[in-house]
Amino acid sequence: MKKYPDEIIEYVRAHAQGTSVKRLVEQINEELGTDFTYSKMRALMSNYGIKNGKAGVHERKGTSNIFPPEIWKFITENYRGCSYQKMIDMVYERFGVMYNSQQINSFYGNHHLNSGLTGQFEKGHIPANKGRKGCCAPGSEKGWFQKGNVPKTQLPVGSEVIDNDGYRLVKIEEPNVWKLKHHIVWEEAYGKIPKDQIVIFLDGDKQNCALENLQCVTRAAHAVMNHFGLRSKNSELTEAGILVAGIKLAISSKEGNKRMSRRKCRLSPEELNIHEKAVKLRKMTDSQLVEYVSAEKAAAYDDGEFAGKKDVLKHQRPSDQTIGGKNVKTFLEEIKFVSGIGAVTVKKLQHLAKEGGYLGV
């Protein structure tokens, strides 16, 4: 059973469009003598899918000292496509009341009003300064810098300045090419500084660029000096620190060589020879390894290693034939365990041995 008669439903459907819920309640109660409240009307419109076209606009509840009813109504009816400043001007022109942009912004936000403005230029917008070259007052061209103008603050070649890190810089070329002074002093005396070396100040004073206060050291030695605190304001102590850093680097290098030597000492001469050959084999590609075996085979024939043995080879099983006294089958079995030689390479060697008649097919 319907709660409301069809007459009321049709009336609401006919008068809802463009009318606020509050106004619709007042209108239907006055004309039809009903007792609708705001919440009842909202429920009826929701149940029957009736919309008034004012979605998102909250109904006014109570009064406001800042926005009187007439201003509130004016803003809610004219907010679309209207910026804050434009709305301020319109309200002031209509009611003589001045608001600021923050107040209008708050009003829009509190009542969920969206003006639809994005703040972006629309497609096809023509800039206000189109066709104009700059915005300068007439006659201001006389004060512009002319082409080739040299600033009064520009320093000539040979000038010296101190940078933010305390180093002296010397201008060596126009318009603005500078170089560290201690580099210039050192290179004039000893030539270009190697890439792996740097020039340091023995007394720690970056502005003392005298040649006797400069020393070129390797970056490794410089790192050791910084790590162990071997730098001093006393130039003699710094020179001693350079020597100590060199000794530490030499000891470190020698210890590394000793570790390698101890590893080699564990091997017998024969094992060391095999190890070196295995290292060479591991570095070979598959094609290089096959070429190496083919060359060894050809060299064995050229040296006459197989001279007079053809009859013996004929009576031997293919797997018993040897190269340089080494059983071919045994060699192919052993080579599988050499690090770096994979199954593919072993298969290539087996195929090569079969083609040469060293293995049975």
Side-chain angles (χ1 to χ4, degrees), residues 237-254:
L237 293 179
T238 303
E239 288 179 343
I242 295 173
L243 295 176
V244 173
I247 293 172
K248 285 183 176 292
L249 288 173
I251 293 173
S252 176
S253 176
K254 192 172 182 180

PDB file of all heavy atoms in Angstrom, residues 237-254:
ATOM      1  N   LEU A 237     106.732  17.534   9.222  1.00  0.00           N
ATOM      2  CA  LEU A 237     105.930  16.394   9.677  1.00  0.00           C
ATOM      3  C   LEU A 237     105.056  15.851   8.545  1.00  0.00           C
ATOM      4  O   LEU A 237     104.840  14.632   8.447  1.00  0.00           O
ATOM      5  CB  LEU A 237     105.051  16.815  10.857  1.00  0.00           C
ATOM      6  CG  LEU A 237     105.787  17.164  12.158  1.00  0.00           C
ATOM      7  CD1 LEU A 237     104.792  17.593  13.222  1.00  0.00           C
ATOM      8  CD2 LEU A 237     106.598  15.963  12.645  1.00  0.00           C
ATOM      9  N   THR A 238     104.545  16.738   7.702  1.00  0.00           N
ATOM     10  CA  THR A 238     103.738  16.281   6.566  1.00  0.00           C
ATOM     11  C   THR A 238     104.584  15.469   5.596  1.00  0.00           C
ATOM     12  O   THR A 238     104.136  14.457   5.048  1.00  0.00           O
ATOM     13  CB  THR A 238     103.110  17.476   5.850  1.00  0.00           C
ATOM     14  OG1 THR A 238     102.321  18.232   6.773  1.00  0.00           O
ATOM     15  CG2 THR A 238     102.218  17.018   4.704  1.00  0.00           C
ATOM     16  N   GLU A 239     105.839  15.919   5.359  1.00  0.00           N
ATOM     17  CA  GLU A 239     106.741  15.152   4.483  1.00  0.00           C
ATOM     18  C   GLU A 239     106.995  13.768   5.071  1.00  0.00           C
ATOM     19  O   GLU A 239     107.040  12.768   4.342  1.00  0.00           O
ATOM     20  CB  GLU A 239     108.046  15.909   4.312  1.00  0.00           C
ATOM     21  CG  GLU A 239     107.914  17.156   3.436  1.00  0.00           C
ATOM     22  CD  GLU A 239     109.223  17.910   3.307  1.00  0.00           C
ATOM     23  OE1 GLU A 239     110.125  17.649   4.139  1.00  0.00           O
ATOM     24  OE2 GLU A 239     109.331  18.741   2.392  1.00  0.00           O
ATOM     25  N   ALA A 240     107.168  13.699   6.393  1.00  0.00           N
ATOM     26  CA  ALA A 240     107.338  12.395   7.042  1.00  0.00           C
ATOM     27  C   ALA A 240     106.082  11.546   6.886  1.00  0.00           C
ATOM     28  O   ALA A 240     106.154  10.322   6.688  1.00  0.00           O
ATOM     29  CB  ALA A 240     107.668  12.595   8.521  1.00  0.00           C
ATOM     30  N   GLY A 241     104.910  12.192   6.969  1.00  0.00           N
ATOM     31  CA  GLY A 241     103.654  11.470   6.779  1.00  0.00           C
ATOM     32  C   GLY A 241     103.534  10.884   5.386  1.00  0.00           C
ATOM     33  O   GLY A 241     102.991   9.785   5.200  1.00  0.00           O
ATOM     34  N   ILE A 242     104.063  11.610   4.386  1.00  0.00           N
ATOM     35  CA  ILE A 242     104.049  11.091   3.011  1.00  0.00           C
ATOM     36  C   ILE A 242     104.881   9.821   2.920  1.00  0.00           C
ATOM     37  O   ILE A 242     104.497   8.838   2.271  1.00  0.00           O
ATOM     38  CB  ILE A 242     104.556  12.169   2.030  1.00  0.00           C
ATOM     39  CG1 ILE A 242     103.590  13.354   2.012  1.00  0.00           C
ATOM     40  CG2 ILE A 242     104.720  11.593   0.629  1.00  0.00           C
ATOM     41  CD1 ILE A 242     104.090  14.537   1.193  1.00  0.00           C
ATOM     42  N   LEU A 243     106.045   9.843   3.570  1.00  0.00           N
ATOM     43  CA  LEU A 243     106.909   8.649   3.565  1.00  0.00           C
ATOM     44  C   LEU A 243     106.231   7.479   4.266  1.00  0.00           C
ATOM     45  O   LEU A 243     106.280   6.333   3.794  1.00  0.00           O
ATOM     46  CB  LEU A 243     108.238   8.977   4.245  1.00  0.00           C
ATOM     47  CG  LEU A 243     109.126  10.022   3.544  1.00  0.00           C
ATOM     48  CD1 LEU A 243     110.364  10.316   4.376  1.00  0.00           C
ATOM     49  CD2 LEU A 243     109.526   9.544   2.153  1.00  0.00           C
ATOM     50  N   VAL A 244     105.607   7.752   5.406  1.00  0.00           N
ATOM     51  CA  VAL A 244     104.914   6.682   6.141  1.00  0.00           C
ATOM     52  C   VAL A 244     103.791   6.092   5.295  1.00  0.00           C
ATOM     53  O   VAL A 244     103.599   4.865   5.254  1.00  0.00           O
ATOM     54  CB  VAL A 244     104.358   7.225   7.471  1.00  0.00           C
ATOM     55  CG1 VAL A 244     103.487   6.178   8.156  1.00  0.00           C
ATOM     56  CG2 VAL A 244     105.492   7.652   8.388  1.00  0.00           C
ATOM     57  N   ALA A 245     103.029   6.966   4.589  1.00  0.00           N
ATOM     58  CA  ALA A 245     101.940   6.483   3.728  1.00  0.00           C
ATOM     59  C   ALA A 245     102.487   5.599   2.619  1.00  0.00           C
ATOM     60  O   ALA A 245     101.906   4.565   2.281  1.00  0.00           O
ATOM     61  CB  ALA A 245     101.184   7.674   3.146  1.00  0.00           C
ATOM     62  N   GLY A 246     103.638   6.001   2.038  1.00  0.00           N
ATOM     63  CA  GLY A 246     104.255   5.174   0.995  1.00  0.00           C
ATOM     64  C   GLY A 246     104.678   3.823   1.525  1.00  0.00           C
ATOM     65  O   GLY A 246     104.522   2.796   0.848  1.00  0.00           O
ATOM     66  N   ILE A 247     105.221   3.799   2.749  1.00  0.00           N
ATOM     67  CA  ILE A 247     105.641   2.525   3.352  1.00  0.00           C
ATOM     68  C   ILE A 247     104.437   1.621   3.602  1.00  0.00           C
ATOM     69  O   ILE A 247     104.471   0.416   3.339  1.00  0.00           O
ATOM     70  CB  ILE A 247     106.402   2.801   4.666  1.00  0.00           C
ATOM     71  CG1 ILE A 247     107.724   3.500   4.362  1.00  0.00           C
ATOM     72  CG2 ILE A 247     106.640   1.508   5.436  1.00  0.00           C
ATOM     73  CD1 ILE A 247     108.462   3.986   5.596  1.00  0.00           C
ATOM     74  N   LYS A 248     103.357   2.210   4.124  1.00  0.00           N
ATOM     75  CA  LYS A 248     102.142   1.423   4.388  1.00  0.00           C
ATOM     76  C   LYS A 248     101.591   0.825   3.095  1.00  0.00           C
ATOM     77  O   LYS A 248     101.152  -0.331   3.059  1.00  0.00           O
ATOM     78  CB  LYS A 248     101.081   2.293   5.055  1.00  0.00           C
ATOM     79  CG  LYS A 248     101.362   2.590   6.517  1.00  0.00           C
ATOM     80  CD  LYS A 248     100.239   3.384   7.136  1.00  0.00           C
ATOM     81  CE  LYS A 248     100.473   3.590   8.640  1.00  0.00           C
ATOM     82  NZ  LYS A 248     100.361   2.323   9.392  1.00  0.00           N
ATOM     83  N   LEU A 249     101.621   1.599   2.019  1.00  0.00           N
ATOM     84  CA  LEU A 249     101.127   1.085   0.734  1.00  0.00           C
ATOM     85  C   LEU A 249     102.025  -0.031   0.223  1.00  0.00           C
ATOM     86  O   LEU A 249     101.549  -1.032  -0.327  1.00  0.00           O
ATOM     87  CB  LEU A 249     101.055   2.220  -0.288  1.00  0.00           C
ATOM     88  CG  LEU A 249      99.944   3.247  -0.087  1.00  0.00           C
ATOM     89  CD1 LEU A 249     100.095   4.398  -1.074  1.00  0.00           C
ATOM     90  CD2 LEU A 249      98.574   2.611  -0.262  1.00  0.00           C
ATOM     91  N   ALA A 250     103.369   0.131   0.398  1.00  0.00           N
ATOM     92  CA  ALA A 250     104.305  -0.905  -0.055  1.00  0.00           C
ATOM     93  C   ALA A 250     104.108  -2.193   0.730  1.00  0.00           C
ATOM     94  O   ALA A 250     104.127  -3.296   0.163  1.00  0.00           O
ATOM     95  CB  ALA A 250     105.735  -0.390   0.095  1.00  0.00           C
ATOM     96  N   ILE A 251     103.926  -2.062   2.050  1.00  0.00           N
ATOM     97  CA  ILE A 251     103.701  -3.247   2.881  1.00  0.00           C
ATOM     98  C   ILE A 251     102.422  -3.962   2.468  1.00  0.00           C
ATOM     99  O   ILE A 251     102.381  -5.191   2.352  1.00  0.00           O
ATOM    100  CB  ILE A 251     103.640  -2.849   4.371  1.00  0.00           C
ATOM    101  CG1 ILE A 251     105.012  -2.356   4.840  1.00  0.00           C
ATOM    102  CG2 ILE A 251     103.158  -4.011   5.226  1.00  0.00           C
ATOM    103  CD1 ILE A 251     105.014  -1.795   6.240  1.00  0.00           C
ATOM    104  N   SER A 252     101.363  -3.185   2.238  1.00  0.00           N
ATOM    105  CA  SER A 252     100.093  -3.774   1.834  1.00  0.00           C
ATOM    106  C   SER A 252     100.223  -4.505   0.516  1.00  0.00           C
ATOM    107  O   SER A 252      99.709  -5.614   0.343  1.00  0.00           O
ATOM    108  CB  SER A 252      99.036  -2.671   1.724  1.00  0.00           C
ATOM    109  OG  SER A 252      97.814  -3.191   1.257  1.00  0.00           O
ATOM    110  N   SER A 253     100.972  -3.913  -0.434  1.00  0.00           N
ATOM    111  CA  SER A 253     101.153  -4.553  -1.731  1.00  0.00           C
ATOM    112  C   SER A 253     101.984  -5.818  -1.604  1.00  0.00           C
ATOM    113  O   SER A 253     101.703  -6.845  -2.218  1.00  0.00           O
ATOM    114  CB  SER A 253     101.824  -3.565  -2.693  1.00  0.00           C
ATOM    115  OG  SER A 253     102.093  -4.173  -3.932  1.00  0.00           O
ATOM    116  N   LYS A 254     103.040  -5.770  -0.763  1.00  0.00           N
ATOM    117  CA  LYS A 254     103.908  -6.930  -0.582  1.00  0.00           C
ATOM    118  C   LYS A 254     103.161  -8.079   0.084  1.00  0.00           C
ATOM    119  O   LYS A 254     103.336  -9.252  -0.267  1.00  0.00           O
ATOM    120  CB  LYS A 254     105.121  -6.537   0.244  1.00  0.00           C
ATOM    121  CG  LYS A 254     106.217  -7.593   0.251  1.00  0.00           C
ATOM    122  CD  LYS A 254     107.465  -7.070   0.922  1.00  0.00           C
ATOM    123  CE  LYS A 254     108.575  -8.131   0.878  1.00  0.00           C
ATOM    124  NZ  LYS A 254     109.820  -7.641   1.523  1.00  0.00           N
TER     125      LYS A 254
END
